[in-house]
Amino acid sequence: MRVNQVPPQYMEKNGQWVGLGVDRMKALLHEAGCVADFVSMPWKRSLVDLASGRIDGMINVNFTPERARDYWFLWYGHNEDTVLVMRKDDANHPKNFQDVLNLPGKIAYETGDLFGPPLMGAIKRNKTFNAKLVPLTEAKQYRMLTYRRVTAVLDMEENARYELATNPEWSALTMVPLVVSSVPDFMAFSKASVSKELFMRLEKANIRVIANGSYRAITQAWQQRVAENGKWHATVPETH
């Protein structure tokens, strides 16, 4: 299973991989009678390695027909909401989607990210807005926002909330209370290394984990940790 150092989804603490995405994946694999071996790698490489079967699975993957040729997809009942992160002192915080299209300056997003309608429609149809978008690595996009090289960053709401609560380097930033894009969030498994029989076992396990509320409990536990402590626990959290 692919991971990388992207809190709160994946974090390496005391030689173990933990995090919101890690806990979700562990819950599924435990229910299916499998054990995860976590491997750290960057996003773009992981998509290639998943297609070839060098890794078996990963979480936080958007569905496309092209990817479906190489990956099995499991929806675990969660949508990925994309929000804007901006400087607190910026007077142009958008109130609606049209305001987003009219933002001055550049808007950064992580290389490889995909979005849902109406954002993808605006990207395809609106050449002016499309020209504002800059694909960058996660670390670089926030450096550029801090130093006013871009106006805003498109980010997953879960990740943005975590960083705003725990990262002092984000003290000058804020999350705009407007969901810019919302798409179903999937776990993806390699058709090159995961048999149809094993995937069917994972599908059945996924239904049970949704039904027994484990995914929901994992999400609520992480939200509570951030709200109560404002920082990552030193101890590794129990997983379901």
Side-chain angles (χ1 to χ4, degrees), residues 2 15 23 30 46 78 82 104 146 153 165 198 213:
R2 177 263 180 187
D23 283 0
H30 177 75
S46 65
H78 179 265
T82 299
T146 300
V153 170
L198 176 54

Side-chain angles (χ1 to χ4, degrees), residues 101-210:
L101 300 183
N102 294 332
L103 277 173
K106 298 290 186 178
I107 301 173
Y109 67 98
E110 187 172 3
T111 304
D113 276 0
L114 298 175
F115 308 105
L119 183 55
M120 281 305 300
I123 291 171
K124 292 177 179 178
R125 293 190 302 270
N126 189 322
K127 293 183 179 179
T128 301
F129 179 68
N130 195 353
K132 294 180 180 181
L133 299 178
V134 184
L136 299 169
T137 63
E138 184 176 28
K140 189 171 184 180
Q141 63 189 7
Y142 280 105
R143 286 199 302 270
M144 292 185 71
L145 178 60
T146 300
Y147 293 107
R148 304 177 190 275
R149 301 290 298 278
V150 298
T151 298
V153 170
L154 289 164
D155 202 355
M156 288 174 56
E157 182 179 8
E158 288 178 340
N159 295 8
R161 286 190 183 280
Y162 181 86
E163 292 293 341
L164 286 166
T166 64
N167 190 342
E169 294 182 3
W170 282 46
S171 59
L173 307 181
T174 188
M175 185 178 71
V176 177
L178 174 68
V179 175
V180 181
S181 172
S182 184
V183 292
D185 195 13
F186 292 90
M187 298 181 192
F189 297 89
S190 175
K191 289 185 176 180
S193 62
V194 175
S195 68
K196 185 175 182 179
E197 292 74 20
L198 176 54
F199 180 69
M200 290 175 65
R201 196 166 97 207
L202 291 165
E203 277 190 309
K204 293 175 182 178
N206 188 52
I207 292 170
R208 295 194 297 271
V209 177
I210 291 173

Side-chain angles (χ1 to χ4, degrees), residues 2-39:
R2 177 263 180 187
V3 289
N4 203 3
Q5 191 73 16
V6 183
Q9 301 298 329
Y10 332 100
M11 293 172 281
E12 190 175 19
K13 297 290 182 180
N14 303 321
Q16 297 186 60
W17 283 100
V18 296
L20 180 51
V22 171
D23 283 0
R24 287 167 174 164
M25 184 63 77
K26 284 181 177 179
L28 171 69
L29 296 181
H30 177 75
E31 184 66 29
C34 301
V35 178
D37 179 16
F38 293 106
V39 180

